[in-house]
Amino acid sequence: MSNPSSKIILGLGLVLVLSFIHPGVPLAQLNVSELLATENTPLEFSTDPLTILNLSPGSSAPHSPTITINGQTVVITWKNAADILLMRSIDGGFNFDPPIKLANGQVPSIAIEGQNVAALWKHEEKPGFFLSHLISFARSTDGGKTFGKPVSISKGVKKPFESSIALKGLTVIAAWDDKAGTGDIWYARSTNGGGSFSAPIRLLTENKKAFKPFVAMHGQTAAMAWTDSKSDTTNRQVTFARSTNGGATFSEPVTIRKGTVTRLSVDRQGITIVFNEKKGICKSACLIYSADGGKTFSKPVALFNQATLPSIAIHGKSIIAAWPSNSSERKMGNADIMLVHSPNRGNLFSEPINLSNSPRHSTTPAVATDGETVFVTWREDTPTGTKTPMRSEIFLTRIALPALAK
């Protein structure tokens, strides 16, 4: 653990620097050294200290941060009690606007393209005696500064829960699961930037226990990946469907292999799925890749074994992974957030660096990259067993990367 040092707090307005002492890493910027000889050489992180921002001073109980980046726009969300809060930067993460309340809900998903920001989340209403579960959508045309009125796009689906959204031009694809109803995956599509959506479309699944879909899009290629299982905990399968017409139609779902899907990426270099299994080389995280639009996939590549439940960002061949440190430290309530980078789709990784390096308990990291900069956000809690009242805060750091192949 490092000596106590200053962290930057984001207050009302743009970045404000407050002189208070917080047990974390020293105040500065962490850079990454130049890419060596070939892409098979991992990047070596320098020992320069990090700049860490406290995004949530004064929040009651922030948790579950997410981060999305496109161009100079960075959008971060987190849960605070029953609300979803959203904070945005339009200068590549150097300055952030004050957080706004996006909605009353949970499990948000964000997609960005230019000034257009699409937001999706689970919402509950009780118009009568019974509780109604909905997937709600809202869009912003000013880079996330303001959002239009939310609309429900999941009418007729009994109990949607986890969702994902993709945005390309005027096409928006929203997907979600239905845990208490059909057990299938559903999606809706918009061709006018989210002004209106199709009626929900059902993707039939083999075992009727599908959950946590991921959707991504590049050009006219769209892909969905999710986990299907015979029960909630056993026989999990990586399931995939693809589209060659911007999501107007999808192929019949196919089972690729055993595992739980944790990440999906689609770009001009291909389709990447990250998953984990309970046993074997993929216990922590494995990657499979398709260069032909999802017709065939590579053999799995084990990304690492030391990480448990990593958050992963993909940009071309570059992979960034962040996770809470080992299980014994997590049980003691003082885990740190670790980070690694691979420039070659997981064939070789840098040595892990400690991002949070704090005596407090760091958990639930989220990571995003545009190929030049890495953003990592996480939650820190006061360690269990101290006399200090439990306090949670959301932190953010940005790490410069050398230019990578797009």
Side-chain angles (χ1 to χ4, degrees):
M1 300 298 174
S2 66
N3 294 325
S5 61
S6 296
K7 287 189 178 181
I8 295 177
I9 285 199
L10 290 178
L12 297 177
L14 298 181
V15 176
L16 302 176
V17 181
L18 303 184
S19 60
F20 81 113
I21 301 300
H22 184 282
V25 298
L27 182 63
Q29 177 69 41
L30 178 73
N31 294 313
V32 179
S33 64
E34 292 298 324
L35 186 63
L36 304 178
T38 70
E39 68 172 19
N40 290 323
T41 303
L43 295 180
E44 296 292 333
F45 289 92
S46 77
T47 56
D48 293 341
L50 288 159
T51 297
I52 294 183
L53 311 179
N54 184 343
L55 303 182
S56 61
S59 296
S60 58
H63 63 92
S64 306
T66 75
I67 185 164
T68 310
I69 180 173
N70 182 270
Q72 291 294 298
T73 303
V74 182
V75 174
I76 299 171
T77 70
W78 66 87
K79 280 281 291 172
N80 192 62
D83 295 332
I84 300 171
L85 300 185
L86 181 145
M87 178 178 281
R88 66 122 192 199
S89 168
I90 57 173
D91 63 359
F94 287 98
N95 298 284
F96 283 82
D97 289 347
I100 63 172
K101 177 182 173 179
L102 175 64
N104 181 289
Q106 55 184 309
V107 202
S109 178
I110 302 290
I112 310 170
E113 187 176 67
Q115 288 293 299
N116 297 314
V117 180
L120 202 66
W121 64 91
K122 178 194 171 186
H123 177 61
E124 295 179 349
E125 293 182 350
K126 196 172 184 180
F129 183 76
F130 296 102
L131 188 66
S132 177
H133 300 264
L134 304 169
I135 295 295
S136 294
F137 168 86
R139 63 173 175 169
S140 169
T141 57
D142 56 11
K145 183 177 181 180
T146 60
F147 282 82
K149 183 179 179 180
V151 295
S152 172
I153 62 172
S154 62
K155 292 179 180 178
V157 180
K158 187 175 181 180
K159 193 176 181 180
F161 185 66
E162 295 187 273
S163 62
S164 178
I165 193 165
L167 169 64
K168 190 67 178 178
L170 294 176
T171 301
V172 183
I173 302 174
W176 61 89
D177 54 24
D178 181 17
K179 289 193 172 181
T182 64
D184 292 317
I185 298 298
W186 294 76
Y187 74 97
R189 179 174 180 259
S190 170
T191 56
N192 57 8
S196 60
F197 280 85
S198 68
I201 302 167
R202 181 177 172 184
L203 287 174
L204 298 175
T205 59
E206 180 181 355
N207 296 309
K208 306 302 182 186
K209 286 284 186 179
F211 61 93
K212 200 169 185 178
F214 294 82
V215 61
M217 184 166 41
H218 179 79
Q220 288 296 297
T221 300
M224 272 195 245
W226 63 89
T227 305
D228 194 12
S229 64
K230 293 181 180 179
S231 72
D232 290 335
T233 58
T234 62
N235 298 316
R236 293 184 172 183
Q237 300 172 335
V238 176
T239 310
F240 174 79
R242 66 190 182 100
S243 171
T244 57
N245 54 14
T249 58
F250 278 86
S251 64
E252 289 293 321
V254 295
T255 297
I256 298 177
R257 57 173 297 114
K258 292 182 179 180
T260 301
V261 179
T262 59
R263 182 72 176 172
L264 169 69
S265 173
V266 179
D267 56 35
R268 67 182 183 181
Q269 295 192 24
I271 299 172
T272 303
I273 299 175
V274 179
F275 65 96
N276 59 37
E277 296 177 338
K278 280 194 169 185
K279 300 179 180 179
I281 65 169
C282 298
K283 185 176 181 180
S284 296
C286 267
L287 174 151
I288 52 177
Y289 172 77
S290 173
D292 56 11
K295 294 179 182 178
T296 60
F297 281 87
S298 66
K299 293 181 179 179
V301 175
L303 299 184
F304 28 68
N305 291 321
Q306 73 270 32
T308 301
L309 300 177
S311 172
I312 290 177
I314 301 170
H315 189 275
K317 294 181 180 180
S318 184
I319 298 175
I320 311 292
W323 69 93
S325 52
N326 67 54
S327 58
S328 63
E329 289 180 327
R330 288 199 304 275
K331 290 177 182 178
M332 292 171 62
N334 62 347
D336 284 317
I337 301 302
M338 312 302 291
L339 183 80
V340 293
H341 170 261
S342 169
N344 52 15
R345 274 197 202 105
N347 289 305
L348 199 61
F349 274 91
S350 63
E351 288 297 317
I353 63 168
N354 189 330
L355 291 181
S356 53
N357 199 17
S358 167
R360 303 175 71 194
H361 182 58
S362 304
T363 186
T364 60
V367 60
T369 184
D370 60 359
E372 297 177 356
T373 305
V374 176
F375 292 85
V376 186
T377 182
W378 66 90
R379 189 185 85 198
E380 282 192 17
D381 301 327
T382 301
T384 304
T386 68
K387 295 182 180 180
T388 306
M390 176 62 71
R391 184 181 68 191
S392 299
E393 294 169 314
I394 303 297
F395 288 96
L396 169 73
T397 191
R398 64 189 308 276
I399 303 169
L401 285 173
L404 299 174
K406 303 295 189 291

